[in-house]
Amino acid sequence: MPTRAPRGTIAPGLLFTDQHGDVAQLHGVGIRRYDGVFYAWGEDKTHGGAFGGVACYSSPDLATWTFLGHALAVDGAVPDLAPGRVIERPKVLRSAAGTYVMLLHVESADYGYARVGWAISDRPEGPYTYLHSERPLGNISRDIGVFMDDDGTGYLLSEDREHGLHVYRLAPDLLSVEEIVSTTLTPPSDHPAGPHGYESPTMVKHDGLYYLFGSDLTGWSTNDNKYATAPSPAGPWSEWRDFAPPGSATYDSQVSVVVPVAGSETTSHVYAGDRWSRDDLYHSAPVWLPMRIQDGRAELEWRDTWTIDPATGVIS
Ligand code: GAL
């Protein structure tokens, strides 16, 4: 079992603990910064792969985490949220009207349900009211990510098996999907068995360029994650490239989000990934690292421990 990091320390491969000394459930995490505070929504893996609630935490600096309770709890009265279901990759966006909208990968235990779910709240930490789930435009949807552009347009990134990784534009209230703006596939040379997309997608925009990150489809095992760039969420997307040393399996982690941290001196990017312990998902270690994004290139930088100054954006 991975060791616990001293509280307030980002140490890739070691566990974060909360104010109670409990292992922070920041798995498959979504992270946003509202009014200077970082909020994180993670999969509570108390019940292993089965839904244990969406745990919400806050932090001033991405290092010291305070558990705020379950933003979305297990609820036997709601079929999608019932015990034994699978809910992964909670991601939150705030709509122009100020509503916090949570998107989720909603599953059955056999991963055959393959839907996106929506929940809303008037506070980042919830509690969220669950609305519904669907297959966007009829498509299978497994791992998801979200992105909000500077103009407030929201996007859903969703993995649709052999049809690829879709970028869907969301409605202005973020509560429905309007259209697919682009779809990407893995290169056939990497996948002789047939094309499919990347999973666990996340997107950032830096200096006018869009960067899309994802992992190969190897379940709880890690692989060399990739990124592509484009002048718009609609593409055209570049070839997929490594952002960590090839063969390192992304420092043995799977991307969950890349978080821009805009400060007074610089905008830094933080990679938050998961090192899954398939037999003990609760203790899966976070692998969070600085990501250098510059001139169309993205590169993960290994550090044993590091900090980010939330005011200046400087990583040291
Ligand atoms: C991965 C996915 C995880 C989880 C896992 C189950 O491919 O990224 O979120 O669904 O499979 O095996």
Side-chain angles (χ1 to χ4, degrees), residues 43 88-89 105 111 143 199-200 218-220 254 276:
E43 302 165 13
E88 298 176 329
R89 307 208 174 273
H105 173 197
Y111 282 84
D143 280 359
E199 67 175 5
S200 195
T218 55
W220 302 120
Q254 180 185 28
W276 298 110

PDB file of all heavy atoms in Angstrom, residues 43 88-89 105 111 143 199-200 218-220 254 276, ligand 1:
ATOM      1  N   GLU A  43     -13.724  10.187  -6.950  1.00  0.00           N
ATOM      2  CA  GLU A  43     -14.461   8.934  -6.751  1.00  0.00           C
ATOM      3  C   GLU A  43     -14.104   8.395  -5.365  1.00  0.00           C
ATOM      4  O   GLU A  43     -12.933   8.142  -5.099  1.00  0.00           O
ATOM      5  CB  GLU A  43     -14.037   7.902  -7.806  1.00  0.00           C
ATOM      6  CG  GLU A  43     -14.237   8.355  -9.238  1.00  0.00           C
ATOM      7  CD  GLU A  43     -13.482   7.467 -10.238  1.00  0.00           C
ATOM      8  OE1 GLU A  43     -13.006   6.376  -9.861  1.00  0.00           O
ATOM      9  OE2 GLU A  43     -13.366   7.883 -11.396  1.00  0.00           O
ATOM     10  N   GLU A  88     -18.008   7.107 -12.220  1.00  0.00           N
ATOM     11  CA  GLU A  88     -16.601   7.501 -12.304  1.00  0.00           C
ATOM     12  C   GLU A  88     -16.453   8.880 -12.919  1.00  0.00           C
ATOM     13  O   GLU A  88     -17.335   9.388 -13.577  1.00  0.00           O
ATOM     14  CB  GLU A  88     -15.832   6.472 -13.155  1.00  0.00           C
ATOM     15  CG  GLU A  88     -15.858   5.087 -12.527  1.00  0.00           C
ATOM     16  CD  GLU A  88     -15.206   4.004 -13.373  1.00  0.00           C
ATOM     17  OE1 GLU A  88     -15.241   4.119 -14.612  1.00  0.00           O
ATOM     18  OE2 GLU A  88     -14.677   3.043 -12.794  1.00  0.00           O
ATOM     19  N   ARG A  89     -15.264   9.458 -12.676  1.00  0.00           N
ATOM     20  CA  ARG A  89     -14.796  10.672 -13.348  1.00  0.00           C
ATOM     21  C   ARG A  89     -15.748  11.860 -13.191  1.00  0.00           C
ATOM     22  O   ARG A  89     -16.184  12.454 -14.185  1.00  0.00           O
ATOM     23  CB  ARG A  89     -14.485  10.364 -14.816  1.00  0.00           C
ATOM     24  CG  ARG A  89     -13.530   9.167 -14.901  1.00  0.00           C
ATOM     25  CD  ARG A  89     -12.644   9.130 -16.088  1.00  0.00           C
ATOM     26  NE  ARG A  89     -11.683   8.030 -15.980  1.00  0.00           N
ATOM     27  CZ  ARG A  89     -10.504   8.139 -15.369  1.00  0.00           C
ATOM     28  NH1 ARG A  89     -10.128   9.284 -14.863  1.00  0.00           N
ATOM     29  NH2 ARG A  89      -9.697   7.107 -15.267  1.00  0.00           N
ATOM     30  N   HIS A 105     -19.524   9.753 -15.411  1.00  0.00           N
ATOM     31  CA  HIS A 105     -19.639   8.499 -16.160  1.00  0.00           C
ATOM     32  C   HIS A 105     -20.489   7.561 -15.306  1.00  0.00           C
ATOM     33  O   HIS A 105     -20.055   7.105 -14.252  1.00  0.00           O
ATOM     34  CB  HIS A 105     -18.241   7.919 -16.414  1.00  0.00           C
ATOM     35  CG  HIS A 105     -18.256   6.552 -17.017  1.00  0.00           C
ATOM     36  ND1 HIS A 105     -17.160   5.720 -17.017  1.00  0.00           N
ATOM     37  CD2 HIS A 105     -19.239   5.855 -17.643  1.00  0.00           C
ATOM     38  CE1 HIS A 105     -17.478   4.580 -17.619  1.00  0.00           C
ATOM     39  NE2 HIS A 105     -18.724   4.632 -17.988  1.00  0.00           N
ATOM     40  N   TYR A 111     -20.259  -2.557 -16.934  1.00  0.00           N
ATOM     41  CA  TYR A 111     -19.834  -1.494 -17.864  1.00  0.00           C
ATOM     42  C   TYR A 111     -20.632  -1.515 -19.188  1.00  0.00           C
ATOM     43  O   TYR A 111     -20.149  -1.059 -20.213  1.00  0.00           O
ATOM     44  CB  TYR A 111     -18.321  -1.545 -18.129  1.00  0.00           C
ATOM     45  CG  TYR A 111     -17.519  -0.957 -16.985  1.00  0.00           C
ATOM     46  CD1 TYR A 111     -17.198  -1.737 -15.870  1.00  0.00           C
ATOM     47  CD2 TYR A 111     -17.115   0.368 -16.994  1.00  0.00           C
ATOM     48  CE1 TYR A 111     -16.487  -1.198 -14.797  1.00  0.00           C
ATOM     49  CE2 TYR A 111     -16.410   0.916 -15.921  1.00  0.00           C
ATOM     50  CZ  TYR A 111     -16.096   0.120 -14.839  1.00  0.00           C
ATOM     51  OH  TYR A 111     -15.404   0.644 -13.793  1.00  0.00           O
ATOM     52  N   ASP A 143     -15.291   6.799 -20.249  1.00  0.00           N
ATOM     53  CA  ASP A 143     -14.576   7.886 -19.562  1.00  0.00           C
ATOM     54  C   ASP A 143     -14.947   9.250 -20.158  1.00  0.00           C
ATOM     55  O   ASP A 143     -15.046   9.383 -21.379  1.00  0.00           O
ATOM     56  CB  ASP A 143     -13.063   7.704 -19.709  1.00  0.00           C
ATOM     57  CG  ASP A 143     -12.497   6.684 -18.739  1.00  0.00           C
ATOM     58  OD1 ASP A 143     -13.254   6.125 -17.930  1.00  0.00           O
ATOM     59  OD2 ASP A 143     -11.275   6.464 -18.791  1.00  0.00           O
ATOM     60  N   GLU A 199      -8.983   7.482 -23.832  1.00  0.00           N
ATOM     61  CA  GLU A 199      -9.939   7.623 -22.733  1.00  0.00           C
ATOM     62  C   GLU A 199      -9.368   8.520 -21.652  1.00  0.00           C
ATOM     63  O   GLU A 199      -8.245   9.007 -21.761  1.00  0.00           O
ATOM     64  CB  GLU A 199     -10.340   6.255 -22.177  1.00  0.00           C
ATOM     65  CG  GLU A 199      -9.232   5.514 -21.471  1.00  0.00           C
ATOM     66  CD  GLU A 199      -9.723   4.222 -20.835  1.00  0.00           C
ATOM     67  OE1 GLU A 199     -10.884   3.848 -21.013  1.00  0.00           O
ATOM     68  OE2 GLU A 199      -8.907   3.586 -20.146  1.00  0.00           O
ATOM     69  N   SER A 200     -10.173   8.734 -20.614  1.00  0.00           N
ATOM     70  CA  SER A 200      -9.825   9.644 -19.532  1.00  0.00           C
ATOM     71  C   SER A 200      -9.364  10.996 -20.087  1.00  0.00           C
ATOM     72  O   SER A 200      -8.295  11.506 -19.731  1.00  0.00           O
ATOM     73  CB  SER A 200      -8.749   9.018 -18.646  1.00  0.00           C
ATOM     74  OG  SER A 200      -8.690   9.747 -17.449  1.00  0.00           O
ATOM     75  N   THR A 218      -6.406   0.564 -21.350  1.00  0.00           N
ATOM     76  CA  THR A 218      -5.843  -0.633 -20.723  1.00  0.00           C
ATOM     77  C   THR A 218      -6.394  -0.832 -19.315  1.00  0.00           C
ATOM     78  O   THR A 218      -5.711  -1.362 -18.445  1.00  0.00           O
ATOM     79  CB  THR A 218      -4.293  -0.562 -20.692  1.00  0.00           C
ATOM     80  OG1 THR A 218      -3.885   0.645 -20.040  1.00  0.00           O
ATOM     81  CG2 THR A 218      -3.696  -0.580 -22.090  1.00  0.00           C
ATOM     82  N   GLY A 219      -7.629  -0.381 -19.078  1.00  0.00           N
ATOM     83  CA  GLY A 219      -8.267  -0.621 -17.783  1.00  0.00           C
ATOM     84  C   GLY A 219      -7.501   0.019 -16.651  1.00  0.00           C
ATOM     85  O   GLY A 219      -7.089   1.173 -16.745  1.00  0.00           O
ATOM     86  N   TRP A 220      -7.252  -0.726 -15.581  1.00  0.00           N
ATOM     87  CA  TRP A 220      -6.543  -0.193 -14.415  1.00  0.00           C
ATOM     88  C   TRP A 220      -5.033  -0.171 -14.632  1.00  0.00           C
ATOM     89  O   TRP A 220      -4.297   0.375 -13.810  1.00  0.00           O
ATOM     90  CB  TRP A 220      -6.843  -1.003 -13.153  1.00  0.00           C
ATOM     91  CG  TRP A 220      -8.280  -1.098 -12.762  1.00  0.00           C
ATOM     92  CD1 TRP A 220      -9.022  -2.231 -12.648  1.00  0.00           C
ATOM     93  CD2 TRP A 220      -9.170  -0.015 -12.407  1.00  0.00           C
ATOM     94  NE1 TRP A 220     -10.312  -1.936 -12.262  1.00  0.00           N
ATOM     95  CE2 TRP A 220     -10.421  -0.583 -12.105  1.00  0.00           C
ATOM     96  CE3 TRP A 220      -9.028   1.373 -12.329  1.00  0.00           C
ATOM     97  CZ2 TRP A 220     -11.530   0.180 -11.720  1.00  0.00           C
ATOM     98  CZ3 TRP A 220     -10.130   2.130 -11.951  1.00  0.00           C
ATOM     99  CH2 TRP A 220     -11.353   1.534 -11.648  1.00  0.00           C
ATOM    100  N   GLN A 254      -2.345   7.345 -14.894  1.00  0.00           N
ATOM    101  CA  GLN A 254      -3.321   7.640 -15.951  1.00  0.00           C
ATOM    102  C   GLN A 254      -3.837   9.045 -15.738  1.00  0.00           C
ATOM    103  O   GLN A 254      -4.294   9.386 -14.640  1.00  0.00           O
ATOM    104  CB  GLN A 254      -4.498   6.650 -15.884  1.00  0.00           C
ATOM    105  CG  GLN A 254      -5.548   6.897 -16.969  1.00  0.00           C
ATOM    106  CD  GLN A 254      -6.769   6.006 -16.820  1.00  0.00           C
ATOM    107  OE1 GLN A 254      -7.111   5.586 -15.726  1.00  0.00           O
ATOM    108  NE2 GLN A 254      -7.443   5.738 -17.931  1.00  0.00           N
ATOM    109  N   TRP A 276      -3.548   3.411 -10.285  1.00  0.00           N
ATOM    110  CA  TRP A 276      -4.595   2.543  -9.729  1.00  0.00           C
ATOM    111  C   TRP A 276      -4.011   1.306  -9.057  1.00  0.00           C
ATOM    112  O   TRP A 276      -3.127   0.650  -9.606  1.00  0.00           O
ATOM    113  CB  TRP A 276      -5.533   2.086 -10.853  1.00  0.00           C
ATOM    114  CG  TRP A 276      -6.255   3.205 -11.544  1.00  0.00           C
ATOM    115  CD1 TRP A 276      -6.052   3.650 -12.829  1.00  0.00           C
ATOM    116  CD2 TRP A 276      -7.304   4.011 -11.013  1.00  0.00           C
ATOM    117  NE1 TRP A 276      -6.908   4.687 -13.106  1.00  0.00           N
ATOM    118  CE2 TRP A 276      -7.690   4.930 -12.027  1.00  0.00           C
ATOM    119  CE3 TRP A 276      -7.968   4.045  -9.782  1.00  0.00           C
ATOM    120  CZ2 TRP A 276      -8.699   5.873 -11.838  1.00  0.00           C
ATOM    121  CZ3 TRP A 276      -8.976   4.984  -9.600  1.00  0.00           C
ATOM    122  CH2 TRP A 276      -9.326   5.881 -10.616  1.00  0.00           C
TER     123      TRP A 276
HETATM  124  C1  GAL B   1     -10.283   2.430 -17.126  1.00  0.00           C
HETATM  125  C2  GAL B   1     -10.963   3.735 -16.858  1.00  0.00           C
HETATM  126  C3  GAL B   1     -11.302   3.806 -15.390  1.00  0.00           C
HETATM  127  C4  GAL B   1     -12.124   2.588 -15.029  1.00  0.00           C
HETATM  128  C5  GAL B   1     -11.367   1.336 -15.373  1.00  0.00           C
HETATM  129  C6  GAL B   1     -12.175   0.096 -15.083  1.00  0.00           C
HETATM  130  O1  GAL B   1     -10.070   2.215 -18.475  1.00  0.00           O
HETATM  131  O2  GAL B   1     -10.142   4.806 -17.211  1.00  0.00           O
HETATM  132  O3  GAL B   1     -12.022   4.996 -15.123  1.00  0.00           O
HETATM  133  O4  GAL B   1     -13.333   2.616 -15.746  1.00  0.00           O
HETATM  134  O5  GAL B   1     -11.054   1.342 -16.735  1.00  0.00           O
HETATM  135  O6  GAL B   1     -11.490  -1.052 -15.532  1.00  0.00           O
END
